[in-house]
Amino acid sequence: MAYLGTFEYPDCVKCKMLPICMGGCAHQAMFINGGRPECKEWKYGLEHYVRTKFSCLKAQRAAINKSC
């Protein structure tokens, strides 16, 4: 099956993560998923990543401010 492209799938077109992932890995879609894009970490883990990164940066800033 040929890879049709991200914009051929209604689920992708409606997805709020499309501007970030742009359909993921085309190689994965073509050769592993039978022509369909795969939803991975962007769709299911982005919020967790951003919250964790924010918490770490906030803690680092607090530690720097304490040492000054």
Side-chain angles (χ1 to χ4, degrees):
M1 178 179 269
Y3 177 59
L4 299 175
T6 304
F7 298 100
E8 299 294 321
Y9 294 98
D11 291 343
C12 290
V13 172
K14 293 185 295 184
C15 183
K16 65 182 180 182
M17 294 297 154
L18 181 61
I20 296 170
C21 82
M22 292 307 293
C25 175
H27 180 271
Q28 174 104 8
M30 284 189 292
F31 298 108
I32 298 171
N33 298 340
R36 184 155 179 78
E38 179 178 31
C39 294
K40 274 193 151 185
E41 64 275 353
W42 291 115
K43 188 169 186 175
Y44 303 109
L46 182 62
E47 182 178 353
H48 174 72
Y49 170 78
V50 170
R51 288 181 183 276
T52 302
K53 187 70 172 172
F54 175 78
S55 295
C56 290
L57 292 173
K58 187 177 173 182
Q60 286 175 350
R61 179 173 278 192
I64 290 169
N65 289 339
K66 251 186 175 179
S67 67
C68 292

